[in-house]
Amino acid sequence: MRNPSPGVSPPHGRTGRPRSAAADTAILAATRDALVELGWSKLTMGDVSARAGVAKTTLYRRWAGKNELVVDAVAELFDELELPDRGSLEADIEDVVLQFARLLRRPEARTALMAVVAESTRDEALRDRIRSAIVDRQKRLVVLGRERAQARGELPPEEDEGLARHTTDLIFDVIAGTVVHRALVSCEPVDELWAGAFTALLMHGLQGAARA
């Protein structure tokens, strides 16, 4: 279910040797480490190249600058999220919520996410990259969860594709926004008790909307 990082394929129009997946992994890991240690303002492409053991030209062949590099480093972490099939939509959602919370407890994930979100308030291109590399890719979990729930008969199918996309966006925003706020803004625990209560509330809304 994991999608490749946007940094995996060479940009259009470029030719040459195939990209090294091992180098990409090392670069993205080095970016997250440097961000935790140095912060956004002090992080440079030179820091990352030194930590990853690659030339700066290698970085610039893959990423135009720091913004794109950091977003892809965050996106790689979010691609670790998976939707297990635990037999019901409620159990599936609760599992993903707890996975997401564990991810946000990792210093490299928390620091990188907050840094790019803060920087994106001043950079429209960065907002667009966050949307395509992280937000739109992770909506796959919502799409898969709803498809499974519809196949089980827990939710009715939606024939209107536009309405289905709107519902997917809404569910994603509610889950991601609530968990991020709880974990990073309120700094309160996202434990099994909280995740269960939140999921029950969400299920009440979904099932109520289906009956409407």
Side-chain angles (χ1 to χ4, degrees), residues 98-114:
L98 291 170
Q99 281 186 60
F100 189 24
R102 287 193 295 270
L103 176 62
L104 293 178
R105 286 197 291 270
R106 292 164 57 177
E108 66 273 26
R110 181 172 62 248
T111 302
L113 179 61
M114 295 186 77

Side-chain angles (χ1 to χ4, degrees), residues 78 81 93 96-101 103-104 113 117 130 134-142 167-186 190 194 198-199 202:
F78 276 73
L81 297 174
I93 292 174
V96 170
V97 167
L98 291 170
Q99 281 186 60
F100 189 24
L103 176 62
L104 293 178
L113 179 61
V117 170
I130 291 170
I134 300 175
V135 175
D136 289 345
R137 289 218 316 246
Q138 295 313 312
K139 287 179 183 176
R140 66 190 167 84
L141 300 173
V142 178
T167 302
T168 296
D169 290 347
L170 182 58
I171 295 170
F172 179 87
D173 288 345
V174 168
I175 295 175
T178 303
V179 176
V180 167
H181 189 280
R182 173 82 176 178
L184 302 185
V185 180
S186 298
V190 179
W194 184 90
F198 169 65
T199 303
L202 182 61

Side-chain angles (χ1 to χ4, degrees), residues 20-184:
S20 164
D24 284 351
T25 298
I27 290 167
L28 295 175
T31 301
R32 293 189 294 267
D33 290 344
L35 192 60
V36 171
E37 183 177 329
L38 303 173
W40 178 278
S41 62
K42 293 182 180 180
L43 176 68
T44 68
M45 299 290 270
D47 294 318
V48 174
S49 67
R51 289 169 186 261
V54 301
K56 278 200 290 186
T57 53
T58 301
L59 264 67
Y60 282 110
R61 281 198 298 268
R62 290 159 162 77
W63 294 276
K66 180 170 76 171
N67 288 5
E68 294 84 353
L69 176 58
V70 173
V71 171
D72 283 6
V74 177
E76 185 179 58
L77 292 178
F78 276 73
D79 282 343
E80 295 178 11
L81 297 174
E82 296 180 341
L83 185 69
D85 189 347
R86 295 182 57 191
S88 72
L89 178 59
E90 186 167 3
D92 290 352
I93 292 174
E94 185 173 344
D95 193 289
V96 170
V97 167
L98 291 170
Q99 281 186 60
F100 189 24
R102 287 193 295 270
L103 176 62
L104 293 178
R105 286 197 291 270
R106 292 164 57 177
E108 66 273 26
R110 181 172 62 248
T111 302
L113 179 61
M114 295 186 77
V116 295
V117 170
E119 190 67 19
S120 72
T121 62
R122 300 183 292 273
D123 188 332
E124 184 175 353
L126 181 57
R127 287 198 299 275
D128 290 341
R129 191 172 183 88
I130 291 170
R131 185 178 301 112
S132 62
I134 300 175
V135 175
D136 289 345
R137 289 218 316 246
Q138 295 313 312
K139 287 179 183 176
R140 66 190 167 84
L141 300 173
V142 178
V143 172
L144 177 58
R146 294 180 68 239
E147 287 176 349
R148 285 180 181 170
Q150 288 164 351
R152 296 184 193 115
E154 295 175 287
L155 294 175
E158 283 184 321
E159 304 297 334
D160 187 323
E161 292 185 5
L163 181 58
R165 285 194 298 271
H166 175 75
T167 302
T168 296
D169 290 347
L170 182 58
I171 295 170
F172 179 87
D173 288 345
V174 168
I175 295 175
T178 303
V179 176
V180 167
H181 189 280
R182 173 82 176 178
L184 302 185

